[in-house]
Amino acid sequence: MSLLSITGLSLCIAGAPILRDVSLSLAPGEVVAVTGESGSGKSMTALAVMQLLPAQSDATGTISLDGHEMLELDEATLCTLRGDLAGMVFQEPMTALNPVQTIGDQVSETVRLHRPELNPQRRAREVLDRVGLESIPLSRYPHELSGGQRQRVVIAIAIACGPKLLIADEPTTALDVTTQAQILTLLKRLAAEDGMGLLMITHDLAVVAEMADRIVVMRHGEVVETGDTPALLADPQHPYTQALLAASNHRVDLPGGAEQAPLLRVQDVVRDYTLPRTKLFVPAGTHRAVDKVSFDIKRGERIGLVGESGCGKSTLTRAILGLEPVQGGSITLAGTPVTDPSVRRKMQVVFQDPYGSFNPRHRVARLITEPFHLLDTPPTDREERIASALTDVGLSPDDAQKYPHQFSGGQRQRLAIARALIIRPELVIFDEAVSALDVSVRAQILDLIAELCRQYDLTYLFISHDLSVVRTITDRVMVMQKGRIVEAGQTEAVFSDPQHPYTKQLIDAAPQLPPHETTRARSLP
């Protein structure tokens, strides 16, 4: 018997078709993953189940949840069912949590609304304990928790009233590998213990392989293939599913050879932060974010930096860019301290969220030429530079007059790379530059970086929590834990035979796809 049954679901928003004849089912205790690229209709399907659709939505078909026909219910009835019969875990916990309410109040609010016979505070404590937050008091606020702890609070809210269905929409995208593994294990355990159906929305096929009993593959608002996880991954039938698997297993072809001369030299760097004063007349303590870190990056070399959230990666990155003062050690680029203003023009950075790093009111031509202000003399061939930069990243010179919102996520990341390279820096830092992209776009961006290495002999530091990406796009890798580099070496050697227990822990925590014969990403149909 199905807990959730979707049959012939079609959805239009303001007349635009979003979903077309979507059908899927979910049994009690079953884990079903809905996967596909961004824009495939995964999240809209989940929102349709919860009836959290935007205005001007017109849905047809049937959505039966435990005998309730969701498309026929009024808002008051739906409010009763949400949180009681079905709970939802969103991708970004800070947008799902109220920043001015304690976590205890937020969990107990759900209990008061749907289980008035229970003691709200006692129940809040029980479910927070159950999701692994035994040591966290109910009086904490969301900003006082880590990303993984906040996601556990969201899960606690979703399960507080014992729902029969839990929908998890990209619940681990922004988390590092060890926290991701903990959250996925928690979700699967909850589904098994409670007999709760779990609908996972994710573009990460490695997560799907480890979590799901069955897979539903969506493209352009339609279901193109569905089946049991092992069988579908071993022998995908639809060309789109085959292309997704190829992109997930994609390996880039980096050109070889770095010069022997070091370009960036980091020697015994220490960075301390002053902690808030807890008592009057008691000196404030310090937190050491970076603890005597040393390494070199040679010209033409591609280095990876991995580690959990809070390990010091971002602090070290800001120090390398000259944006953070250090309390000890030195950082030089070609022998000059990075704090020297003349060095700033020789380093550029590509951030995780290109849309957040662009001014939405400016056109592309202005955005990608922002680094020109670092030069003593602005170039006289500005238009030619713009056209060349856009062409280098696979875009058209005509795109120079467009605005950021007119591009897809992958195209915006190409724009961010064009901006970083337009003044030909000596060092580029990629800070989680492909973390927010789906697998096919990620493969295209990684191929682009490899091609730019051939053209310009790029030297870069690639920071990511995605170990599979670091493995394919770097020559050497450094593993950071609690402010220190605990292991470093040739990338393949470190991944194949890790020496430090923490490195082994990171590699073991990373979700893995089963071996697949296709390693080169094919074009999506």
Side-chain angles (χ1 to χ4, degrees):
M1 177 181 176
S2 293
L3 169 65
L4 172 67
S5 178
I6 302 176
T7 306
L9 174 64
S10 295
L11 172 68
C12 292
I13 299 177
I18 305 298
L19 301 176
R20 301 176 183 85
D21 197 28
V22 172
S23 297
L24 62 89
S25 63
L26 175 69
E30 188 180 27
V31 179
V32 172
V34 182
T35 191
E37 293 178 285
S38 298
S40 63
K42 308 185 302 293
S43 294
M44 276 300 173
T45 301
L47 293 174
V49 173
M50 300 292 284
Q51 284 298 283
L52 294 173
L53 296 170
Q56 296 183 301
S57 297
D58 181 22
T60 60
T62 62
I63 303 175
S64 177
L65 176 57
D66 197 35
H68 300 274
E69 180 46 57
M70 302 297 285
L71 297 183
E72 297 177 358
L73 301 179
D74 56 51
E75 184 63 22
T77 306
L78 288 170
C79 286
T80 301
L81 295 179
R82 297 182 194 126
D84 183 6
L85 180 60
M88 192 160 185
V89 179
F90 295 95
Q91 176 177 349
E92 177 47 63
M94 276 302 280
T95 60
L97 296 172
N98 189 329
V100 299
Q101 280 191 322
T102 65
I103 61 172
D105 287 343
Q106 295 187 61
V107 177
S108 61
E109 180 183 19
T110 303
V111 180
R112 283 195 300 271
L113 289 172
H114 299 286
R115 291 287 188 272
E117 72 277 9
L118 299 178
N119 182 302
Q121 290 293 311
R122 183 180 302 148
R123 179 59 179 165
R125 183 71 272 167
E126 289 174 356
V127 292
L128 287 170
D129 290 351
R130 193 172 179 211
V131 299
L133 297 178
E134 300 92 339
S135 61
I136 305 298
L138 300 182
S139 57
R140 289 281 179 88
Y141 288 88
H143 73 271
E144 298 179 292
L145 306 178
S146 68
Q149 289 172 329
R150 287 194 289 262
Q151 195 62 289
R152 289 173 186 267
V153 174
V154 174
I155 295 172
I157 294 172
I159 67 167
C161 298
K164 294 185 178 181
L165 171 68
L166 183 63
I167 300 175
D169 188 359
E170 300 281 10
T172 61
T173 299
L175 303 178
D176 58 61
V177 288
T178 50
T179 307
Q180 178 190 55
Q182 294 165 7
I183 296 298
L184 294 176
T185 300
L186 170 63
L187 288 171
K188 197 162 187 177
R189 176 173 61 81
L190 292 171
E193 292 176 355
D194 296 355
M196 178 175 59
L198 176 59
L199 187 66
M200 282 279 296
I201 311 296
T202 180
H203 67 259
D204 192 331
L205 291 183
V207 169
V208 169
E210 294 197 357
M211 285 287 293
D213 301 310
R214 287 191 300 115
I215 300 176
V216 177
V217 183
M218 293 188 68
R219 176 177 181 258
H220 295 168
E222 298 178 303
V223 174
V224 298
E225 187 168 1
T226 184
D228 293 338
T229 299
L232 188 145
L233 294 178
D235 187 23
Q237 299 299 306
H238 196 277
Y240 178 73
T241 310
Q242 295 168 1
L244 281 180
L245 276 169
S248 297
N249 285 307
H250 185 55
R251 296 289 179 267
V252 303
D253 182 18
L254 278 178
E259 297 180 13
Q260 294 304 308
L263 172 63
L264 179 75
R265 174 155 285 177
V266 178
Q267 293 180 302
D268 296 322
V269 167
V270 172
R271 175 62 171 126
D272 293 332
Y273 289 107
T274 301
L275 297 174
R277 188 187 297 271
T278 56
K279 294 181 180 180
L280 198 61
F281 308 120
V282 176
T286 59
H287 167 68
R288 179 150 294 184
V290 178
D291 189 6
K292 296 184 178 179
V293 168
S294 297
F295 63 89
D296 290 345
I297 299 181
K298 301 172 184 176
R299 291 186 182 273
E301 195 172 29
R302 287 80 56 151
I303 305 297
L305 179 62
V306 301
E308 295 176 287
S309 299
C311 71
K313 302 191 303 295
S314 296
T315 301
L316 178 60
T317 301
R318 290 193 296 270
I320 290 172
L321 292 168
L323 302 176
E324 288 267 2
V326 298
Q327 281 71 46
S330 63
I331 306 175
T332 59
L333 186 78
T336 305
V338 293
T339 52
D340 189 311
S342 65
V343 174
R344 296 288 177 88
R345 72 191 64 174
K346 300 177 182 179
M347 295 187 291
Q348 288 291 309
V349 61
V350 179
F351 296 101
Q352 176 177 352
D353 179 13
Y355 197 75
S357 60
F358 287 144
N359 189 325
R361 296 175 295 178
H362 294 167
R363 298 179 189 271
V364 164
R366 177 171 176 176
L367 292 172
I368 68 171
T369 55
E370 285 178 344
F372 284 173
H373 81 277
L374 296 171
L375 304 177
D376 294 330
T377 304
T380 56
D381 57 343
R382 184 175 182 274
E383 300 304 319
E384 289 79 4
R385 290 274 197 108
I386 293 171
S388 175
L390 291 174
T391 303
D392 286 344
V393 298
L395 297 174
S396 167
D398 296 336
D399 292 329
Q401 298 308 310
K402 295 180 180 179
Y403 291 92
H405 73 270
Q406 295 176 279
F407 296 88
S408 68
Q411 289 172 326
R412 285 196 290 266
Q413 199 60 287
R414 290 173 184 267
L415 291 175
I417 294 173
R419 178 172 64 179
L421 298 181
I422 198 166
I423 60 172
R424 300 290 181 262
E426 296 186 33
L427 176 69
V428 179
I429 296 179
F430 292 96
D431 188 3
E432 299 283 7
V434 297
S435 298
L437 304 177
D438 57 54
V439 290
S440 57
V441 178
R442 182 183 71 188
Q444 295 166 14
I445 296 298
L446 294 178
D447 279 338
L448 170 64
I449 294 172
E451 182 58 34
L452 292 171
C453 285
R454 292 187 181 86
Q455 293 182 36
Y456 301 115
D457 195 26
L458 284 185
T459 304
Y460 60 73
L461 178 66
F462 196 96
I463 302 163
S464 179
H465 66 259
D466 191 328
L467 300 188
S468 64
V469 170
V470 172
R471 187 169 189 170
T472 187
I473 201 68
T474 62
D475 304 310
R476 289 195 297 122
V477 65
M478 300 181 294
V479 182
M480 197 167 187
Q481 182 191 29
K482 296 180 179 178
R484 294 190 172 193
I485 303 297
V486 296
E487 185 165 358
Q490 294 298 311
T491 300
E492 196 55 42
V494 171
F495 277 86
S496 300
D497 186 23
Q499 300 300 306
H500 195 277
Y502 179 69
T503 308
K504 296 177 183 178
Q505 177 187 339
L506 285 180
I507 294 173
D508 290 343
Q512 300 287 331
L513 268 173
H516 193 261
E517 62 181 11
T518 305
T519 57
R520 294 289 298 174
R522 67 190 77 179
S523 298
L524 292 172

